[in-house]
């Protein structure tokens, strides 16, 4: 078992999972690591994790990240189509429709938050995952425009219109790669990986509660996709072990944050920070 002093001297990679508005929690984890003197030398993220991975790799101070997130308001990224256009698409059974939010405000927000424009300007390596709908493949983005890659990784289907990268349409990378352990292991060859893993709420418990809700087949399908993503992550953890890379996994229990409850973000940040500090206090 590593000591904390040994860990500080290792080449550490930080993997941040998808998790809707989990970027508050990921930022809390990042700031806790800074308090402990653990400085990641490479980052990878999917969806919400992509935002903090990019900010961390840029070298932005935790205080600045915290201030940026705590000042965030729904209007900063919420730019829906007029209701009558959505209704018209509904009459057409949503054929050709790409999503509810245009994404222009989100793009502008990322451009303001990120202190650099490209991956090449980052302080250390960073991998952002997306799903390429044209090639029908998961992609690991490591070069080019940083804000565009982060936005693509956060493009939740139905919520946001698809993001175009290099003429191809991309959506949320977390649907194919919830926590891109393999991507970072191969990209930077770390000595240790720390994974901040936000477990999906429908994985909690072993009951059949999805049968009691409305649209039970849809809930079952969503659960099946979630199980597949989690199993894929576990496979990547095993692969890292075979590569000789220890994986330290932090799985916090946090308050739920959403566009309607963005005010819970600071509480999620502080709880994730507290649980990260507690994790290393117990581990070492």
């Amino acid at each position: 078992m590593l000591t904390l002093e040994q860990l500080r001297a290792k080449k550490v990679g930080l993997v941040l999972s998808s998790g809707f508005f989990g970027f508050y929690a990921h930022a809390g984890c990042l700031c806790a690591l800074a308090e402990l003197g653990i400085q990641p030398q490479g980052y990878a993220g999917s969806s919400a994790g992509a935002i903090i991975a990019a900010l961390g790799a840029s070298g932005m101070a935790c205080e600045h990240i915290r201030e940026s997130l705590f000042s965030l308001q729904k209007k900063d990224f919420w730019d829906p189509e007029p209701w009558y256009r959505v209704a018209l698409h509904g009459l057409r059974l949503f054929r050709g429709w790409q999503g509810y939010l245009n994404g222009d405000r989100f793009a502008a927000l990322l451009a303001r938050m990120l202190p650099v424009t490209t991956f090449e300007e980052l302080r250390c390596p960073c991998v952002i995952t997306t799903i390429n709908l044209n090639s029908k493949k998961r992609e690991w983005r490591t070069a080019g425009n940083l804000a565009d890659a982060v936005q693509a990784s956060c493009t939740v289907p139905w919520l946001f219109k698809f993001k175009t990268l290099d003429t191809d349409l991309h959506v949320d990378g977390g649907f194919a790669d919830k926590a891109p352990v393999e991507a970072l292991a191969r990209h930077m060859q770390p000595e240790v990986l720390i994974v901040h893993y936000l477990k999906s709420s429908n994985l909690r418990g072993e009951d059949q509660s999805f049968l009691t809700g409305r649209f039970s087949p849809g809930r079952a399908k969503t659960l099946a996709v979630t199980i597949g993503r989690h199993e894929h992550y576990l496979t990547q953890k095993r692969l890292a072990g075979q590569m000789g890379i220890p994986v330290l996994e932090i799985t916090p229990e946090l308050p739920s944050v959403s566009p309607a409850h963005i005010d819970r973000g600071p509480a999620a940040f502080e709880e994730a920070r507290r649980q990260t500090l507690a994790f290393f206090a117990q581990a070492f």
Side-chain angles (χ1 to χ4, degrees):
M1 174 66 72
L2 291 170
T3 67
L4 191 54
E5 223 24 73
Q6 289 172 328
L7 183 60
R8 291 178 182 133
K10 294 289 185 180
K11 185 180 182 182
V12 175
L14 178 62
V15 179
L16 304 172
S17 77
S18 62
F20 202 37
F21 270 57
F23 45 82
Y24 285 100
H26 289 321
C29 172
L30 184 63
C31 290
L33 294 179
E35 289 181 48
L36 293 167
I38 300 171
Q39 180 57 62
Q41 297 176 47
Y43 295 78
S46 291
S47 197
I51 298 174
I52 305 305
L55 292 173
S58 74
M60 182 182 288
C62 280
E63 295 77 12
H64 191 181
I65 295 175
R66 182 181 182 277
E67 290 171 6
S68 297
L69 294 183
F70 281 25
S71 64
L72 188 62
Q73 300 180 53
K74 184 177 178 180
K75 66 180 182 181
D76 294 329
F77 58 87
W78 202 257
D79 55 356
E81 280 192 329
W83 68 267
Y84 56 85
R85 289 188 183 176
V86 177
L88 181 60
H89 285 295
L91 292 173
R92 298 171 178 170
L93 301 181
F94 294 103
R95 292 188 181 92
W97 193 62
Q98 293 193 9
Y100 183 55
L101 300 181
N102 292 311
D104 296 334
R105 289 191 181 182
F106 185 39
L109 174 64
L110 290 173
R112 293 195 304 271
M113 289 181 66
L114 293 168
V116 300
T117 304
T118 66
F119 281 88
E120 289 76 10
E121 298 172 85
L122 291 170
R123 181 185 57 80
C124 61
C126 183
V127 184
I128 303 297
T129 62
T130 72
I131 296 174
N132 187 322
L133 296 177
N134 291 75
S135 68
K136 299 174 179 60
K137 293 180 180 179
R138 170 194 61 185
E139 286 190 4
W140 294 339
R141 309 289 295 195
T142 60
N145 188 286
L146 182 62
D148 283 351
V150 171
Q151 183 178 4
S153 189
C154 295
T155 298
V156 180
W158 282 96
L159 181 60
F160 283 107
K161 296 188 184 306
F162 308 148
K163 179 65 178 177
T164 301
L165 299 178
D166 307 322
T167 73
D168 287 348
L169 299 176
H170 290 248
V171 294
D172 194 320
F175 280 89
D177 207 349
K178 182 172 176 68
V181 169
E182 181 187 358
L184 193 58
R186 296 193 183 282
H187 186 59
M188 68 165 285
Q189 294 81 49
E191 295 176 291
V192 180
L193 280 171
I194 298 173
V195 181
H196 196 236
Y197 190 83
L198 305 180
K199 188 173 287 188
S200 300
S201 60
N202 58 354
L203 281 184
R204 296 169 189 156
E206 298 180 358
D207 59 10
Q208 299 177 358
S209 59
F210 62 90
L211 288 173
T212 64
R214 291 178 298 173
F215 307 113
S216 294
R219 287 172 179 263
K221 180 180 179 180
T222 299
L223 177 58
V225 171
T226 301
I227 292 169
R229 291 193 303 161
H230 184 63
E231 290 295 320
H232 181 225
Y233 163 67
L234 295 177
T235 298
Q236 292 187 59
K237 279 182 63 180
R238 289 192 290 270
L239 176 62
Q242 293 167 6
M243 296 170 68
I245 305 171
V247 176
L248 304 179
E249 180 188 88
I250 306 168
T251 54
E253 294 292 331
L254 303 166
S256 176
V257 186
S258 68
H261 296 288
I262 200 168
D263 57 301
R264 298 174 183 170
F269 173 99
E270 294 297 345
E271 187 59 22
R273 173 183 165 277
R274 185 192 68 78
Q275 292 188 39
T276 299
L277 294 173
F279 172 87
F280 284 100
Q282 294 170 2
F284 302 102

